[in-house]
Amino acid sequence: MSIFIILTLLGFLRFTSEAASVFSFTIHSCSTSNRTYFEPNSTFQANLNVLLSSLTSNASLPDGYYRTTVSPSSPSNVTGLFLCRGDTTPAVCQSCVAAASMEITRRCPNQTESIIWYNVCMLRYSNRDLNPLVPYVPLGNISTIAISERDRFDAVLVNMLNDVTGKANTQTGKKFATAEVDFTSSETLYFLAQCIPDSSNSICYSCFRSAIGFLPDCCSGSKGATILVPLCNIRYEFYPFYNRAVVSSEPLVPPTSGSRNILLLVATLVPVLVALALLVLGCCFLRKRASKKYNTYTFTEDSTGIDLSGIESLKFELAAIEAATKKFSDENKIGQGGYGAVYKGILANGQEIAVKRLLATSLQGALEFTNEAALMVKLQHRNLVRLLGFCLEGQEKILVYEYIPNKSLDKFLFDLQRKRILDWPKRYKIIVGVARGMLYLHEDSQLRIIHRDLKASNVLLDANMNPKISDFGVAKIFHGDQTQLNTRRIVGTRGYMSPEYAMRGQISVKSDVFSFGVLVLEIITGQKNTDLYQSHQANDLLSYAWNNWTQKTPLELLDPTLRGSYSRNEAIRCIHIALLCVQENPSYRPTMATIVLMLNSYSVTLPLPQKPASLMHRRTPDR
Ligand SMILES: *[C@@H]1O[C@H](CO)[C@@H](O)[C@H](O)[C@H]1NC(C)=O
Ligand SMILES: *[C@@H]1O[C@H](CO)[C@@H](O)[C@H](O)[C@H]1NC(C)=O
Ligand SMILES: *[C@@H]1O[C@H](CO)[C@@H](O)[C@H](O)[C@H]1NC(C)=O
Ligand SMILES: *[C@@H]1O[C@H](CO)[C@@H](O)[C@H](O)[C@H]1NC(C)=O
Ligand SMILES: *[C@@H]1O[C@H](CO)[C@@H](O)[C@H](O)[C@H]1NC(C)=O
Ligand SMILES: *[C@@H]1O[C@H](CO)[C@@H](O)[C@H](O)[C@H]1NC(C)=O
């Protein structure tokens, strides 16, 4: 009898300690689309409460998945579902879903659509059809694999991810599978894939494909990654993050027989009492930790505390932005880029902002925009313009940046008077700063971002003439790749576009490297590449640079206003690097990491550049 109680207690303790891992990450997204809020005490609220409690009660069933609609034929209908990770016990699943139901109403108090993910469960509701593929959240493990191992690692990943997702998809019942493989004699890689059980094989297949497709962007080289999509998720790590006992269908608790002796009873009783005390402490600790996590965003720390609830503080009211920019008046307009116009604004509190009003051509959903803008805000680097927040109201999608008082680089570089301010040390500092900012976008931030429109007018100069790259991440927020594939609309600026991008729409970090090369040549010569291009002279800037290079007169390229102030070595090295960047074959172009290294260290020997891509042979892109 007492053994029975103790075992029950043990079971309970096991469940609570597992419950700790339930909380190890919490990510949510409240929809802001159309500002569809429900009124307190409305029918919708009542329906939502019914929904959440029926989800919670069904979570104790062994399926680990349930979807239902409350009042399907009323205008206040609400549909919701939860999915528990395939290896969770019903008890853990229920505690996770219960926590999720409570937390989602706390975090999204009056939204008609929300989603929340915990480590072992996901819960979602909406008053309209649920798009199973948005929002998605990529989480990269901060530790990375050694460069020398990357190729082999990637090959293993591709293989194993195909295996594990294929296996998950063919399961009857839970579409859930795990797999492990020995990467080295001492390191094992663990994989998990899961899709919502009642979905068709073909939709799960395409969900898994897109989840795997996010990996290069978010998690290239990461030792672990998690991609959360409402319909499916994948994860891999170098440690067993799922319950291997359940997965290999061994019983969780050894079968108990009645013939345990008294020694065992004592041996278990003491730990139980200790554990009970710990449990009480643990609960307080958990509560504290949990509530602390909700306010912080530890994306780079351990990638477990993503909290999109901070989003609320990043949101700007459209009315406030209209007031700040005098309703987007022309006199406030300070620029126009591939994705929309930029306005200067002054907020009611006196803060100056730059407002980018995105063209309303994006196919992207509001949740996704919000999601990504929140991630972009976390990108911080001294050579990037800071994104302060965003606004999403009706058809408006707006990004709000810090305002940089000095003008953009082109306003100095191509102005006969102002270019004199840019002596060689300043220009060199700008080249190095832009390289560092680009490196951060490409490799050092958790998201791999391809700028796609790097040019002099997108480099802003602060009061100390430090360069700050602007407009980064817009391509990502716009899902530029997809937009371009679907509409063949190529965003970018003539003269800066690599040939493979301008002609075939191929985008990679190397297309940014090409633009960087053109920018460096412009900084050195003080001449606009597009000027030469548009005047249809036989010599564009690249051939002009190349000719001087092959004739061993590289210093001829220097802007005449630099005479006297430049360092010969630095200038020649910059020209050399620029020529490496604008080579026709993307694979010959160095990466930003190599470029930063080349700029920092003279001990790095530079390869000889090949003839640059000729701008003159390029087809005019559709714009
Ligand atoms: C909603 O109902 C609660 C309890 O019934 C009540 O205290 C509260 O004032 C109501 N709120 C509104 C806005 O009617
Ligand atoms: C599951 O939810 C439905 C309502 O959607 C409810 O009728 C049913 O009783 C629930 N099942 C359990 C086991 O609670
Ligand atoms: C369910 O709710 C949505 C959003 O409120 C509404 O557009 C739809 O018409 C509702 N369905 C029914 C059958 O009333
Ligand atoms: C609920 O929605 C309204 C808009 O209808 C908003 O003003 C209010 O701040 C929201 N309440 C909470 C608690 O977020
Ligand atoms: C990241 O990977 C390391 C090494 O495999 C592991 O110890 C750590 O727990 C992982 N972090 C997360 C959040 O999974
Ligand atoms: C969203 O707003 C547009 C117009 O702004 C309207 O046509 C559409 O019906 C709204 N959608 C929902 C779900 O309320």
Side-chain angles (χ1 to χ4, degrees):
M1 177 61 191
S2 54
I3 288 177
F4 173 72
I5 294 172
I6 285 162
L7 288 175
T8 316
L9 266 175
L10 275 174
F12 175 64
L13 286 175
R14 192 187 65 243
F15 139 63
T16 47
S17 70
E18 280 179 27
S21 67
V22 164
F23 293 98
S24 79
F25 68 71
T26 313
I27 298 158
H28 81 278
S29 172
C30 310
S31 167
T32 52
S33 63
N34 273 16
R35 310 223 140 203
T36 48
Y37 295 108
F38 60 79
E39 297 297 323
N41 297 353
S42 59
T43 322
F44 185 88
Q45 166 127 61
N47 287 347
L48 179 58
N49 291 344
V50 171
L51 174 82
L52 293 177
S53 69
S54 108
L55 290 181
T56 308
S57 62
N58 278 274
S60 61
L61 300 174
D63 303 348
Y65 165 72
Y66 187 65
R67 175 188 175 117
T68 186
T69 302
V70 175
S71 297
S73 51
S74 105
S76 314
N77 62 75
V78 55
T79 300
L81 59 88
F82 71 81
L83 176 68
C84 283
R85 207 169 71 189
D87 58 331
T88 50
T89 59
V92 172
C93 178
Q94 193 187 21
S95 83
C96 186
V97 172
S101 307
M102 261 164 58
E103 200 49 32
I104 204 167
T105 48
R106 195 180 73 80
R107 292 189 182 199
C108 310
N110 58 7
Q111 271 83 3
T112 52
E113 178 169 312
S114 312
I115 185 166
I116 186 164
W117 277 278
Y118 283 84
N119 201 1
V120 298
C121 73
M122 175 273 288
L123 184 147
R124 183 180 202 196
Y125 71 81
S126 172
N127 67 340
R128 49 180 192 145
D129 276 351
L130 298 162
N131 179 342
L133 299 179
V134 285
Y136 67 85
V137 183
L139 300 164
N141 189 318
I142 191 73
S143 31
T144 49
I145 200 98
I147 305 260
S148 56
E149 294 273 42
R150 282 214 184 156
D151 287 346
R152 192 166 75 86
F153 183 66
D154 287 350
V156 170
L157 282 189
V158 169
N159 252 330
M160 292 301 289
L161 286 169
N162 283 342
D163 272 13
V164 77
T165 55
K167 200 164 119 198
N169 209 2
T170 52
Q171 300 291 310
T172 50
K174 291 182 186 179
K175 284 183 185 288
F176 170 75
T178 61
E180 31 189 281
V181 64
D182 289 335
F183 185 64
T184 62
S185 56
S186 62
E187 288 179 304
T188 306
L189 254 174
Y190 299 85
F191 293 82
L192 177 153
Q194 185 166 18
C195 185
I196 283 192
D198 60 7
S199 4
S200 72
N201 283 6
S202 62
I203 182 164
C204 283
Y205 178 81
S206 55
C207 185
F208 282 138
R209 293 326 301 171
S210 19
I212 294 172
F214 295 139
L215 287 172
D217 250 17
C218 72
C219 312
S220 165
S222 289
K223 277 187 135 178
T226 307
I227 307 286
L228 302 169
V229 185
L231 181 74
C232 71
N233 59 77
I234 55 173
R235 182 170 184 187
Y236 57 86
E237 301 284 355
F238 269 104
Y239 68 98
F241 53 91
Y242 48 84
N243 192 334
R244 293 168 77 211
V246 172
V247 167
S248 55
S249 60
E250 283 156 21
L252 208 59
V253 191
T256 53
S257 70
S259 59
R260 298 286 167 106
N261 60 29
I262 192 77
L263 203 62
L264 180 65
L265 178 62
V266 174
T268 28
L269 192 58
V270 175
V272 165
L273 291 176
V274 172
L276 263 178
L278 286 176
L279 170 69
V280 173
L281 290 172
C283 276
C284 309
F285 176 69
L286 243 180
R287 275 177 60 111
K288 238 181 124 173
R289 252 177 82 94
S291 64
K292 183 161 162 262
K293 276 207 162 151
Y294 299 149
N295 300 324
T296 55
Y297 186 108
T298 45
F299 194 50
T300 49
E301 302 270 306
D302 56 1
S303 69
T304 56
I306 287 219
D307 178 3
L308 298 178
S309 66
I311 276 183
E312 289 306 310
S313 64
L314 307 174
K315 262 198 289 195
F316 284 75
E317 299 282 335
L318 183 59
I321 291 177
E322 281 179 345
T325 59
K326 301 188 189 146
K327 295 215 165 173
F328 304 106
S329 75
D330 276 349
E331 67 182 281
N332 281 47
K333 192 161 165 178
I334 50 176
Q336 175 80 45
Y339 299 103
V342 188
Y343 301 83
K344 183 184 174 178
I346 302 177
L347 293 175
N349 65 9
Q351 188 186 5
E352 292 184 318
I353 52 172
V355 172
K356 175 139 213 168
R357 191 182 194 188
L358 298 178
L359 296 171
T361 54
S362 170
L363 303 170
Q364 187 190 25
L367 273 177
E368 213 175 346
F369 172 82
T370 311
N371 226 344
E372 296 221 348
L375 294 180
M376 292 302 161
V377 174
K378 305 300 161 190
L379 296 181
Q380 287 187 43
H381 189 273
R382 57 195 301 255
N383 297 115
L384 298 183
V385 175
R386 187 99 211 261
L387 180 63
L388 300 173
F390 62 93
C391 167
L392 182 75
E393 280 185 38
Q395 295 300 306
E396 294 281 2
K397 284 182 183 148
I398 292 168
L399 297 172
V400 180
Y401 294 92
E402 69 177 325
Y403 179 74
I404 308 287
N406 247 341
K407 292 199 155 38
S408 50
L409 176 59
D410 59 325
K411 297 285 187 317
F412 288 89
L413 208 50
F414 309 132
D415 181 283
L416 287 178
Q417 292 310 316
R418 268 187 291 211
K419 67 169 28 177
R420 294 173 194 282
I421 301 170
L422 296 180
D423 57 10
W424 177 256
K426 291 203 181 76
R427 293 195 198 195
Y428 190 69
K429 187 166 84 170
I430 292 169
I431 291 172
V432 172
V434 171
R436 289 198 180 131
M438 291 303 295
L439 172 62
Y440 178 81
L441 288 180
H442 283 180
E443 297 195 14
D444 290 354
S445 73
Q446 285 279 310
L447 312 155
R448 168 172 289 202
I449 292 169
I450 297 176
H451 190 298
R452 308 215 308 166
D453 202 11
L454 178 64
K455 55 179 170 181
S457 58
N458 276 337
V459 174
L460 307 184
L461 298 174
D462 72 6
N464 299 317
M465 302 305 252
N466 289 310
K468 285 176 180 275
I469 300 168
S470 73
D471 245 13
F472 60 89
V474 180
K476 194 168 177 74
I477 282 180
F478 251 59
H479 284 263
D481 304 23
Q482 290 153 19
T483 310
Q484 172 248 313
L485 278 181
N486 294 341
T487 66
R488 320 187 88 206
R489 178 169 171 274
I490 295 185
V491 184
T493 305
R494 273 185 211 182
Y496 289 93
M497 278 189 280
S498 64
E500 76 277 6
Y501 176 37
M503 297 194 303
R504 296 189 292 281
Q506 288 173 1
I507 305 156
S508 67
V509 289
K510 296 297 182 71
S511 39
D512 275 354
V513 166
F514 185 95
S515 311
F516 176 78
V518 175
L519 178 66
V520 170
L521 288 177
E522 289 185 335
I523 294 174
I524 288 168
T525 58
Q527 287 195 50
K528 240 188 211 165
N529 188 30
T530 44
D531 275 357
L532 292 164
Y533 178 53
Q534 277 163 359
S535 64
H536 293 281
Q537 293 179 15
N539 290 336
D540 57 68
L541 185 54
L542 302 194
S543 356
Y544 175 54
W546 177 250
N547 290 342
N548 277 294
W549 180 261
T550 51
Q551 285 158 25
K552 309 234 177 321
T553 54
L555 294 174
E556 287 290 300
L557 288 170
L558 284 184
D559 189 338
T561 58
L562 288 175
R563 300 263 147 83
S565 80
Y566 67 91
S567 141
R568 202 187 130 82
N569 278 347
E570 281 175 358
I572 293 182
R573 205 164 170 88
C574 284
I575 295 167
H576 192 158
I577 293 171
L579 285 171
L580 290 172
C581 294
V582 297
Q583 296 175 100
E584 174 105 40
N585 185 337
S587 62
Y588 293 165
R589 297 175 207 149
T591 61
M592 285 319 301
T594 311
I595 293 168
V596 168
L597 202 65
M598 287 168 169
L599 286 168
N600 281 340
S601 157
Y602 280 78
S603 57
V604 182
T605 21
L606 309 186
L608 283 180
Q610 310 259 327
K611 193 173 190 309
S614 169
L615 292 166
M616 297 316 292
H617 299 148
R618 277 186 221 165
R619 218 189 50 194
T620 308
D622 336 332
R623 282 211 67 192

